[in-house]
Amino acid sequence: MIAVEQLVKDFGEGPVLKSINTTFETGKVTVIIGPSGSGKSTLLRSLNYLETPSSGTITFKDTRLSDDPKTLGKVRQNMGMVFQSFHLFNHLSVLSNCTVAQVNVLKRDKEEAKENALNALEKVGMKAYAHRKPSQLSGGQKQRVAIARALSMNPEVMLFDEPTSALDPEMVAEVLQVIKKVAREGLTMILVTHEMQFAKDIADRVIFMDQGQIIEDRMDDLIFTEPKEERTKQFLNLLNH
């Protein structure tokens, strides 16, 4: 579904991503792990050009991404994005948060958008809160609404950028449950996370990154118990102590 070739990203202080080459398959859940500053989020955010590559190419299906607003708009409609910090519109209700892009971007009529939004909110256990404002919700509830908002667009792929890192520990579990539920429906998902047990439970594939490079890329969860690379071993050992 997504092909990354020779991807380099440099913010001006040396490359954060160094010649990344990888692909992401349809229907698979890929989890990206690694230490802070390893380039995980930059890679994820480059997939829909939230970060513009310094060089290299990203292709979504048959479309090569570029700065062209028309091309980007089309691609982004098919890539749902869930951020660390929710990015909800505080002046709108939960329901309106989930319909505004459907109506304005996808040009759906209001009734269809509303039905879609309510289905997505039901999926994440937030339908009962449809008429509340984000300020009346807990962090975990806000993140579940953010997931519903992304799902309302019926994307072909969902990108999650450390979706639990801004949450209190007890809220983490409720959000991870929702993400697991979505993953079981066969949606293509790419997640950056620090939650290793969750990664183990959910991933079809695990990528370990360090210093802007992919160090290990595995289609099994043996990376957690039998990592091949010494650097992966060090990282996982630190987490287990």
Side-chain angles (χ1 to χ4, degrees):
M1 186 178 278
I2 303 172
V4 179
E5 292 175 79
Q6 297 295 326
L7 178 66
V8 174
K9 178 64 183 177
D10 192 330
F11 292 103
E13 294 161 11
V16 177
L17 297 176
K18 303 169 185 171
S19 296
I20 301 277
N21 292 289
T22 189
T23 56
F24 297 96
E25 287 177 51
T26 304
K28 298 282 185 218
V29 177
T30 303
V31 175
I32 305 172
I33 62 171
S36 295
S38 58
K40 308 181 298 292
S41 289
T42 306
L43 172 58
L44 189 82
R45 292 166 66 89
S46 298
L47 298 179
N48 63 0
Y49 260 49
L50 279 178
E51 298 291 358
T52 310
S54 303
S55 62
T57 62
I58 292 170
T59 310
F60 175 69
K61 293 165 88 174
D62 300 325
T63 306
R64 184 170 160 174
L65 271 67
S66 70
D67 286 334
D68 171 49
K70 209 171 180 185
T71 307
L72 261 188
K74 261 206 159 93
V75 168
R76 284 179 178 164
Q77 285 173 28
N78 287 304
M79 287 194 195
M81 181 96 186
V82 177
F83 301 90
Q84 295 177 23
S85 49
F86 328 130
H87 289 271
L88 297 175
F89 296 113
N90 288 322
H91 65 289
L92 296 178
S93 69
V94 163
L95 183 60
S96 296
N97 264 283
C98 296
T99 58
V100 66
Q102 292 187 69
V103 172
N104 294 325
V105 179
L106 300 181
K107 307 300 178 199
R108 286 179 180 157
D109 72 58
K110 283 183 178 166
E111 276 313 303
E112 184 192 357
K114 184 179 173 183
E115 190 179 334
N116 235 347
L118 289 171
N119 285 339
L121 287 166
E122 185 161 21
K123 203 174 277 184
V124 302
M126 289 299 292
K127 190 176 176 182
Y129 298 83
H131 299 293
R132 293 201 187 176
K133 292 272 173 61
S135 59
Q136 297 170 293
L137 305 177
S138 70
Q141 289 171 332
K142 286 178 190 173
Q143 194 59 295
R144 285 193 278 159
V145 171
I147 294 168
R149 176 180 58 185
L151 290 173
S152 298
M153 301 291 280
N154 305 108
E156 292 182 59
V157 57
M158 287 276 282
L159 309 176
F160 293 86
D161 187 9
E162 301 197 25
T164 58
S165 67
L167 300 177
D168 295 337
E170 56 194 31
M171 291 175 187
V172 169
E174 67 179 75
V175 172
L176 295 183
Q177 273 312 113
V178 165
I179 297 172
K180 277 185 194 173
K181 188 179 172 188
V182 173
R184 283 197 290 268
E185 293 177 7
L187 188 61
T188 308
M189 288 167 52
I190 306 166
L191 296 100
V192 170
T193 185
H194 287 296
E195 304 286 340
M196 292 303 135
Q197 187 55 51
F198 168 67
K200 196 174 179 177
D201 292 347
I202 198 178
D204 296 309
R205 171 190 180 197
V206 180
I207 291 174
F208 171 68
M209 288 184 71
D210 189 34
Q211 297 187 348
Q213 294 173 305
I214 292 175
I215 306 294
E216 196 162 339
D217 185 349
R218 298 279 287 273
M219 295 301 285
D220 55 45
D221 62 9
L222 289 178
I223 190 168
F224 295 106
T225 49
E226 299 167 31
K228 288 177 180 160
E229 301 297 328
E230 191 53 42
R231 182 65 189 96
T232 318
K233 221 174 273 182
Q234 289 170 355
F235 173 72
L236 292 167
N237 280 343
L238 273 176
L239 290 182
N240 294 329
H241 289 311

